[in-house]
Amino acid sequence: MLIKLVIIALLLFIIFNLFRAGIIMLRAAEPSVPMSHYLGRRLLISIALLLLIFVAIALGLIQPNATPF
């Protein structure tokens, strides 16, 4: 159960960084933090999330859906 909460938290953090980058992109003034900062953070967290899911499946902490139907 804890692993699922961590996955959900990381997904919400990814979405939060995506919106932060979008807000900076739409501003006319020069931002103090570049947009690539948030997009890079989003990419790194996405990679970490995929690795976490693969490790959790390999260790048997979560089971993938056997059939999509």
Side-chain angles (χ1 to χ4, degrees):
M1 182 67 180
L2 180 64
I3 192 77
K4 292 179 184 179
L5 292 175
V6 170
I7 290 172
I8 290 171
L10 287 174
L11 286 171
L12 290 174
F13 189 65
I14 290 168
I15 292 170
F16 173 74
N17 280 312
L18 181 64
F19 281 112
R20 290 286 306 208
I23 290 171
I24 289 176
M25 183 175 60
L26 293 175
R27 284 190 184 159
E30 184 66 30
S32 60
V33 179
M35 180 179 58
S36 62
H37 174 77
Y38 294 109
L39 293 177
R41 184 184 293 172
R42 184 180 141 243
L43 179 66
L44 288 175
I45 297 298
S46 298
I47 292 169
L49 179 63
L50 280 174
L51 290 174
L52 176 68
I53 290 172
F54 290 149
V55 168
I57 290 172
L59 293 175
L61 297 174
I62 57 176
Q63 289 82 27
N65 190 8
T67 61
F69 305 108

